[in-house]
Amino acid sequence: MAANVSLAAPPPFDAERVRRDFPILDTLVNGHPLVYLDSAASSQRPLAVLRAVEDYETHSHANVHRGVHALSQAATAAYEGARERVRRFINARSTREIIFVRGTTEAINLIAQAYGRPRLRAGDEILISALEHHAKHRPLADGVRAEPAARCGWRRSTAAASCSWRSCSDCSDPRTRLVAVAHVSNALGTVLPVKAHHRGRP
């Protein structure tokens, strides 16, 4: 018989501790502590990231994958080490699945160009919720329309204030090739019931 295992409740969220990780939040605006709400456009960096960037720029800045000298080798090792840490964190199969980009719009452009253009054909659809930001619509639409054979139809899955997996399923059909939905809407703050499923992994 398996032993009973009791899981302790997670500690309460400590907002002040998190604030201390971000030096910029010590800034006063009109005499009040800074409250930053524009992370969808430009995220602030925590102290650990600032220190890592300073250490890299100070001790090992060089071309990655482009040289055999000591600094280039150190920069390459750090770069690939970061890729491996991300792979472990999200439980990816291989570091080949980890692609670094400069921001969300570039990532969506990459999906549109690398996935959309070779696969979408006349009559195919991308299913997108009404909660999505314009920055998601444009790269997908522009990338698809750049290929004359891919006349992609757009359908919104539900009303602007909510979204459910059932509503997405009801809207999809054999023509649906891609479902684009955010976990949290940066426009309305709506948290969607999105759960990641890993093929062959728990």
Side-chain angles (χ1 to χ4, degrees), residues 129-132 157-168 181 190-193:
S129 84
L131 296 165
E132 306 310 308
S157 64
T158 187
S162 65
C163 181
S164 68
W165 178 248
R166 179 175 295 277
S167 67
C168 288
V181 60
T190 304
V191 180
L192 305 182

Side-chain angles (χ1 to χ4, degrees), residues 111-121 142-150:
I111 292 171
Q113 298 295 330
Y115 176 86
R117 291 185 66 179
R119 290 173 175 82
L120 293 172
R121 297 294 180 264
D142 291 347
V144 167
R145 290 170 187 157
E147 178 59 50

Side-chain angles (χ1 to χ4, degrees), residues 25-35:
L25 296 183
D26 291 334
T27 303
L28 296 180
V29 178
N30 298 323
H32 300 282
L34 173 65
V35 176

Side-chain angles (χ1 to χ4, degrees), residues 52-129:
V53 171
E54 181 183 23
D55 182 72
Y56 167 77
E57 297 288 353
T58 304
H59 298 106
S60 56
H61 174 69
N63 285 342
V64 172
H65 297 147
R66 295 291 301 277
V68 296
H69 58 85
L71 288 184
S72 180
Q73 293 296 303
T76 299
Y79 187 86
E80 292 302 334
R83 196 192 304 274
E84 170 59 21
R85 285 193 294 274
V86 173
R87 185 204 66 76
R88 291 197 306 267
F89 182 74
I90 67 172
N91 195 27
R93 290 186 178 92
S94 166
T95 55
R96 292 174 61 86
E97 299 180 21
I98 311 303
I99 301 172
F100 294 138
V101 293
R102 290 170 293 182
T104 302
T105 301
E106 183 181 8
I108 295 171
N109 269 298
L110 183 62
I111 292 171
Q113 298 295 330
Y115 176 86
R117 291 185 66 179
R119 290 173 175 82
L120 293 172
R121 297 294 180 264
D124 288 347
E125 291 186 340
I126 291 175
L127 182 61
I128 189 167
S129 84

